[in-house]
Amino acid sequence: MAITFEQVNFSYGQGSLSQPILKDISTTIPSGKITAIIGQTGSGKSTLVQHINGLLKPTNGKVIINDFELTSQTKEKQLVALRAQVGMVFQFPESQLFANTVLEDVMYGSLNFGQDHLAAKEAAQAALTMVGLPSQHWDKSPFALSGGQMRRVAIAGTLALNPPIIVLDEPAAGLDPLGQAELVKLMLNLKKQDKTVVLISHQMDQVMTVADWTLVMHQGQVIAAETPTTLFNRPLSWFKKVHLDLPTAGQFAQQLMAQGWQFKERPLTLEQLAQAINQEVTIHE
């Protein structure tokens, strides 16, 4: 289920008080892949993804999600069908937990969309298993869990609806390294299930690890749409201009290059960096 933006503009306010946020965006997010949306704070990333499930509607232009067209004229009642197709996980989603038990919280969305109690319970149990939360926690209050466990409950609430599109807005924020590693595993598992995953991230190592495609936003526009490897082999001056970092391995490689090392291609993972260093050492032995 590809997502296409056609000449999308979005502004807050009207008339002389109008503040443009998105500016003439035309791009496609591929189906069944993980697409990372990156850019400095205030570049329009969250505003862009909120158009995917109709939380925001374009001021001009349209967004096409499968056969659904979202425009400024789309009625609120029409958005129910769209939101059943697009699961949104916001930054710090655990702040939205409210039920007495973990299982009840994860079941809530399915019940709200009309599933019977048994089906909703089965979907919730499957989602909790998918995010790796052991069954001994399911009857506990979600507020008795650790921060990382609460994050998993919140994500499970979205997955229980089994949407073909999952949007994750900074899902790793505040997680420890183990929690981040588990999140990466979850995203890759979702891709194996042919889900379309849209990820907003400030962590370039995470982007390099999981993303098939990247969109770079700058001042409300998409200024790059390409694979992570192509993106992170752009000149260093480009990254400075748009206030983005390279992955850790790429940064270290740049430091070595400043000391006279030469690489055929910029290493972007620790494995690539180790191989490149080994090759250089072998050549000079």
Side-chain angles (χ1 to χ4, degrees), residues 98-109 111 117 124 128 138:
F98 65 93
N100 292 324
T101 71
V102 166
L103 194 60
E104 289 174 351
D105 211 302
V106 178
M107 289 173 61
Y108 177 79
L111 293 171
H117 189 273
L128 286 165
W138 296 356

Side-chain angles (χ1 to χ4, degrees), residues 64-80:
I64 304 169
I65 305 98
N66 198 16
D67 57 355
F68 189 101
E69 290 193 6
L70 178 71
T71 71
S72 61
Q73 303 303 310
T74 303
K75 304 299 183 185
E76 192 66 27
K77 64 181 180 181
Q78 295 174 289
L79 295 175
V80 175

Side-chain angles (χ1 to χ4, degrees), residues 12 30 66 86 92 127 135 176 197 208 212 241:
Y12 285 112
N66 198 16
V86 182
F92 301 110
S135 58
D176 61 22
V197 180
M208 192 63 210
D212 303 293
K241 181 180 178 181

Side-chain angles (χ1 to χ4, degrees), residues 151-282:
R151 181 74 53 88
R152 287 190 235 176
V153 173
I155 294 173
T158 296
L159 298 183
L161 298 170
N162 196 30
I165 298 172
I166 310 286
V167 180
L168 303 164
D169 189 347
E170 287 287 349
L175 291 183
D176 61 22
L178 178 60
Q180 293 185 34
E182 290 173 343
L183 181 63
V184 165
K185 184 178 179 180
L186 173 62
M187 287 189 284
L188 294 172
N189 187 34
L190 290 172
K191 186 176 81 165
K192 287 180 181 177
Q193 299 176 38
D194 204 32
K195 304 286 189 185
T196 298
V197 180
V198 182
L199 165 71
I200 293 179
S201 180
H202 283 288
Q203 299 184 17
M204 299 304 105
D205 288 344
Q206 182 186 74
V207 171
M208 192 63 210
T209 299
V210 304
D212 303 293
W213 192 249
T214 57
L215 300 180
V216 181
M217 296 201 65
H218 184 64
Q219 297 179 351
Q221 296 178 304
V222 173
I223 61 169
E226 54 203 19
T227 66
T229 299
T230 301
L231 172 68
F232 291 127
N233 271 288
R234 282 176 174 248
L236 191 60
S237 58
W238 186 86
F239 287 91
K240 291 180 178 179
K241 181 180 178 181
V242 299
H243 307 288
L244 288 175
D245 293 323
L246 290 169
T248 303
Q251 293 181 44
F252 189 73
Q254 288 297 142
Q255 294 174 13
L256 291 176
M257 291 168 68
Q259 299 175 24
W261 288 67
Q262 295 182 349
F263 301 109
K264 293 180 180 179
E265 190 175 61
R266 182 183 288 148
L268 299 173
T269 66
L270 293 178
E271 182 181 6
Q272 291 175 2
L273 180 62
Q275 290 175 348
I277 289 174
N278 184 55
Q279 288 174 358
E280 281 294 296
V281 170
T282 301

Side-chain angles (χ1 to χ4, degrees), residues 15 24 65 113 132 267:
D24 196 31
I65 305 98
F113 273 102

